[in-house]
Amino acid sequence: MLDTPATLSFDMTENQIMIRDMIRDFAEKEIRPKMMEWDESQEFPVDLFKKLGELGLMGVLVPTEYGGSGFGYLEYVTVVSEISRVCGSIGLSVAAHNSLCTGHILSFGNEEQKKKWLPKLATAEWIGAWALTEPNTGSDAMNMKCVAVEDGDDYIINGTKCWITHGKSGDIVVAIVRTGNVRDSHGMTAFAIERGTPGLSAGKKENKLGMRASETAEVIFSDCRVSKANILGEVGDGFIQAMKILDGGRISIASLGLGIAKGALDASLKYAKEREQFGKPIASFQGISFKLADMATKVEAGELLTLQAADMKNKGQKVTRQSAIAKYYTSEIAVENSTEAVQIHGGYGYTKDFPVEKFYRDSKLCTIGEGTSEIQKLVIARELLKA
């Protein structure tokens, strides 16, 4: 028997409704008019995130005492999915800022560190980055080559991190680097490092298929001296911390995939009702209506899985299996719904005049970022076989 919560309510809370309506209005006014321009130029629209910070959407889970909104994971799912319903790039950056960098400091920082950094992150005065992946490690994080060597009251860090969201524009980066032996799960430590620290620089910015307005770049450490006061938690706990952060981060990507799947369905419904062939809307043809039915069913299932994981996270329950299931399923249906959306639009779906080609390009990242679909299957299988 699988262990699942028994008291999850599927009615939207007052906070969720308020957030949903606020984001929908904001997205139509501030995101939709410029999203293709940002996509084409790969511009990371920092000013937009400052506005999101003013709305409290860059510190959703941060307690009010540190300048955040003080909401829970159900509200957080609403934030990410509703933004992603319009633009996956903006949804991805909101998710990475909230759950990874900010979330890591919130979860493992001491009181002094929280007071120092969280107010700036929660208001988007600062943009946050989180650095785990390296060029030759990928999913094999315990084989990392980025090394920190103790030197008096400091550590000196050398190495390169890649695929880092906000790696160039981030004002602070939480980096997990090796302080012990290779493949030792207690041989890595998390450091919070402010932009401007000597030896910290940005490398290549990636030219991507999708999510093009969400900045992805290398982070390079070259004799970067960092005070021991910047260590999050204890020396050697970095990898364990990162795995816990990724459990919550997978709820973020589940919400991202869910939003894209919803956006693809929205666009397809609108087009199918308006587009006429043989004297009637194409929605009246079974071949199209059955596609819409399948897309809607996947959205409903994905939403339930994501809300279940969020509810468990709110209750302080272990979410390793459930967040992996939600992330795996919604990332796959984001791709499937986006593919069907392009098919429903026909030739128009292959142009940039309609939003579905962007959903199609953006969706693939969901099956790769914060653990590939294959890694999610591995996590799910491990959790099942423990029982």
Side-chain angles (χ1 to χ4, degrees), residues 65-85:
E65 65 191 277
Y66 303 117
S69 297
F71 289 139
Y73 270 82
L74 293 174
E75 289 84 4
Y76 181 59
V77 167
T78 303
V79 169
V80 177
S81 62
E82 285 295 329
I83 292 174
S84 305
R85 197 169 184 164

Side-chain angles (χ1 to χ4, degrees), residues 22 32 56 73 158 166 171-172 191 211 254 354 365 367 382:
M22 175 178 66
R32 194 180 297 281
Y73 270 82
N158 282 285
H166 313 145
D171 298 285
I172 184 170
F191 292 83
M211 301 292 193
F354 288 81
L365 182 277
T367 70
R382 281 178 180 169

Side-chain angles (χ1 to χ4, degrees), residues 20 23-24 27-28 32 35 78-88 91 255-267 269 299 303 355 359:
R20 180 199 65 192
I23 291 173
R24 287 182 180 178
E28 290 303 318
R32 194 180 297 281
M35 66 180 189
T78 303
V79 169
V80 177
S81 62
E82 285 295 329
I83 292 174
S84 305
R85 197 169 184 164
V86 175
C87 180
S255 305
L256 176 65
L258 175 63
I260 291 173
K262 283 183 174 182
L265 175 59
D266 292 342
L269 282 168
V299 164
E303 187 156 42
F359 286 130

